Amino acid sequence: MSEGALLLLDRLLDEVTSLRKEVQELKGIPAVAPNVEDESMDVQAVMDYLGVGSYAARELFKRKDFPTIRIGKKLRTTRKLLDKWLEEQSKTEKTYLRVVNR
């Protein structure tokens, strides 16, 4: 699928989501609160959650052992997967993460 087609699909998805919210508001249907653990997280969300800079977050996404989900060309993770990964990392002798270039 071409990059232009993917961009168009992203825009359409955003528009459908927006319209769905408007219909729910008009019908008086309360918006369902999403499960925060299941929400996908991009690099910015990982930066905010871990309190790291963009370089460190991007390097995490490049690691082979880092849990990622590919949605089109974009890599995502979830809070649940990230927390599980962090817990596994803390069980090793060294309790710090070392981000290196590959």
Side-chain angles (χ1 to χ4, degrees), residues 43-44 46-48 51-61 99:
V43 172
Q44 183 65 48
V46 171
M47 287 170 51
D48 296 340
V52 297
S54 63
Y55 179 81
R58 289 180 195 286
E59 290 299 312
L60 284 175
F61 273 88
V99 179

Side-chain angles (χ1 to χ4, degrees), residues 34-42 45-46 49-50 61 65-69 76-89:
N35 184 348
V36 174
E37 290 184 349
D38 292 336
E39 284 185 17
S40 69
M41 300 173 73
D42 60 3
V46 171
Y49 186 64
L50 296 178
F61 273 88
D65 65 334
F66 190 73
T68 58
I69 301 165
R76 300 274 196 262
T77 191
T78 64
R79 189 159 301 172
K80 185 183 262 184
L81 290 174
L82 178 57
D83 287 341
K84 183 178 177 182
W85 182 80
L86 288 169
E87 186 176 324
E88 289 171 7
Q89 296 300 309

